[in-house]
Amino acid sequence: MRLSSFLPRALLGAALLLTLMVAAGDPVLAGPSSPPKGEKPVIEKVVKTDEEWRRLLTPEQYRILRQKGTERAFTSKYHDFKGKGVYHCAGCDLPLFSSEQKFDSGTGWPSYWAPLAPEQIRTQDDSSFFMKRIEVLCARCDGHLGHVFNDGPPPTGLRYCMNGAALKFMGK
């Protein structure tokens, strides 16, 4: 068989194989995909050992993010901060809140009326300290961020009261 007659068949075979791989959803070839309309995107979890978290975080960040601690009111570097940009999770760098949704709640903690996207956070009931509250966690690393209350401003009426040590600011 001559090379000149083999080459077109080989190219045709390679093109067919590539088409089948993309159609089958090969993640390398298909590239990033969006979820079907109406479905939330899946956020890939960050899982680390306790020792890995201790090496990655400051003692204060570890106490808050991994042990569900709370910083004292008016001690966060972000409670009165006015910079423009996005607040990320200090544990895994997931973008969580925008400065455009930040407001002064008068509570001493950075507060937001909405997250950047609902799928970036998750909530769960918290009945610690003889109170009923809703805890806010990072959807990627399950780090404790703070709590959400229903006494916020329009348009949501919510107050996401976050621990500044659980966040890191990325300016515009």
Side-chain angles (χ1 to χ4, degrees), residues 66-87:
R66 308 317 308 167
Q67 297 179 319
K68 301 182 185 284
T70 300
E71 61 196 359
R72 290 188 340 267
F74 301 101
T75 62
S76 166
K77 64 183 174 183
Y78 298 131
H79 95 274
D80 197 26
F81 182 72
K82 305 274 192 265
K84 300 292 182 198
V86 175
Y87 296 84

Side-chain angles (χ1 to χ4, degrees), residues 131-144:
M131 294 183 274
K132 288 189 83 166
R133 301 179 290 177
I134 300 173
E135 180 183 13
V136 178
L137 301 130
C138 173
R140 182 185 286 162
C141 71
D142 291 328
H144 171 77

Side-chain angles (χ1 to χ4, degrees), residues 28-155:
V28 174
L29 297 174
S33 61
S34 299
K37 193 170 182 129
E39 287 186 29
K40 288 183 180 180
V42 175
I43 295 177
E44 194 169 319
K45 288 287 191 181
V46 169
V47 179
K48 296 184 181 305
T49 65
D50 191 55
E51 186 55 39
E52 288 173 318
W53 283 120
R54 285 184 189 276
R55 282 195 307 265
L56 177 71
L57 303 170
T58 68
E60 179 74 347
Q61 289 172 326
Y62 179 82
R63 184 182 69 78
I64 291 169
L65 285 163
R66 308 317 308 167
Q67 297 179 319
K68 301 182 185 284
T70 300
E71 61 196 359
R72 290 188 340 267
F74 301 101
T75 62
S76 166
K77 64 183 174 183
Y78 298 131
H79 95 274
D80 197 26
F81 182 72
K82 305 274 192 265
K84 300 292 182 198
V86 175
Y87 296 84
H88 293 233
C89 174
C92 70
D93 202 33
L94 184 68
L96 299 171
F97 297 95
S98 169
S99 60
E100 294 179 18
Q101 283 88 26
K102 190 172 191 271
F103 71 99
D104 183 0
S105 65
T107 62
W109 286 278
S111 298
Y112 310 84
W113 50 265
L116 276 172
E119 62 273 4
Q120 305 294 71
I121 61 162
R122 68 179 191 83
T123 59
Q124 65 185 26
D125 290 338
D126 176 5
S127 58
S128 61
F129 303 108
F130 308 104
M131 294 183 274
K132 288 189 83 166
R133 301 179 290 177
I134 300 173
E135 180 183 13
V136 178
L137 301 130
C138 173
R140 182 185 286 162
C141 71
D142 291 328
H144 171 77
L145 302 169
H147 293 87
V148 61
F149 303 93
N150 62 1
D151 60 357

Side-chain angles (χ1 to χ4, degrees), residues 15-38:
L16 179 60
L17 179 61
L18 185 62
T19 302
L20 290 172
M21 291 173 75
V22 170
D26 185 291
V28 174
L29 297 174
S33 61
S34 299
K37 193 170 182 129

